[in-house]
Amino acid sequence: MTGWALRRPALRELLLVAAVYELYSLSRIVAAGSPHIASRDARRLLHLEHSIGLSPERWLNYAVSGRAWLAVPADYAYATLHYLLTPAVLLWLWRRHPLAYPSARRSLTVATLLGLVGFTLLPTAPPRMLPGFIDTMARYAGYGWWSGAASAPRGLGALTNEYAAMPSLHVGWAIWCAWQVGRNARRRWVRVAVVGYPVAMVFVVVGTGNHYLIDAAGGAAAIVFGAAADRVWRRVRAGRALRGSAVLARQPAGDEQRERVLQAVR
């Protein structure tokens, strides 16, 4: 194979990531001008949680924010892990488990796009922006590079969507990482240990005042939807492959015609 043929799949994956990032930027622009709506939606979520007896945000936020030994690691986890571990798992799958990679990438992409739809249609202020909550990252900003604008570096707050609480892609991506590592890792202790990642991420996002518990459920739902969409995609492709195989079986074909049929079902 030529060097270009070897690089083409990597370039395609890079372009896909860039496209998703641009869509995220668009969601930030659309949602950034509606602080009143974002605060209103946040209070509605809190009211919903109270009505079903699930509202741990305030006490957990105070418990974490009052203890630097909890707050600082949680801040670093919120600011870094989803940016580091998610692409690391993608790269690991691409290099070590190429048969599992396409399905994993599709489910992650669909879940992320669904999250961007949620950010745009349901802009929601995080707990830290409401009265009665503590902005843990702002309180301990001296320990890291972030400012009061979520996990954005100082002076770059305009580059983040502060109203992207619902769903929590931090939690969604953590669930995706645990799912993919759990089903593909060879060592049992790795498959068991990775389950703790999404559990820890729920603690982090709620404890730092960046998400509500229901946001975490929304992130999980986005991953479930992404997995379902991938399953539908694979069934459609399998049906196309069967029809293509039937065409090849019914009539003799030369190499060129056979290749056209195979290309049509890929």
Side-chain angles (χ1 to χ4, degrees), residues 45-233:
L45 288 183
L46 276 177
H47 178 73
L48 175 61
E49 287 190 355
H50 280 289
S51 67
I52 60 178
L54 288 175
S55 53
E57 290 85 359
R58 196 182 304 272
W59 70 261
L60 186 57
N61 176 233
Y62 274 76
V64 171
S65 298
R67 297 167 175 82
W69 62 272
L70 274 177
V72 174
D75 289 345
Y76 272 99
Y78 183 83
T80 61
L81 289 186
H82 65 301
Y83 288 127
L84 297 177
L85 294 186
T86 308
V89 172
L90 268 175
L91 181 61
W92 172 71
L93 290 170
W94 187 45
R95 295 293 301 272
R96 304 294 294 274
H97 302 277
L99 295 180
Y101 173 78
S103 178
R105 183 206 62 202
R106 280 192 299 268
S107 61
L108 179 65
T109 301
V110 171
T112 301
L113 293 177
L114 185 62
L116 302 186
V117 171
F119 300 159
T120 303
L121 299 182
L122 188 66
T124 306
R128 61 184 173 79
M129 298 181 74
L130 298 181
F133 289 91
I134 298 172
D135 189 336
T136 308
M137 300 193 75
R139 171 175 285 192
Y140 294 97
Y143 289 84
W145 62 84
W146 54 82
S147 61
S151 57
R154 295 180 184 89
L156 299 179
L159 298 180
T160 187
N161 180 1
E162 293 230 64
Y163 305 131
M166 169 57 90
S168 171
L169 287 184
H170 279 73
V171 173
W173 289 353
I175 292 172
W176 178 88
C177 288
W179 170 33
Q180 296 303 325
V181 174
R183 73 188 301 192
N184 291 291
R186 294 186 176 90
R187 293 180 175 85
R188 184 176 181 180
W189 71 266
V190 174
R191 298 196 300 269
V192 173
V194 77
V195 175
Y197 178 37
V199 175
M201 187 55 70
V202 172
F203 173 84
V204 165
V205 301
V206 177
T208 57
N210 281 291
H211 286 282
Y212 309 94
L213 186 61
I214 200 170
D215 297 339
I223 294 299
V224 171
F225 184 88
D230 171 66
R231 186 173 183 179
V232 170
W233 172 269

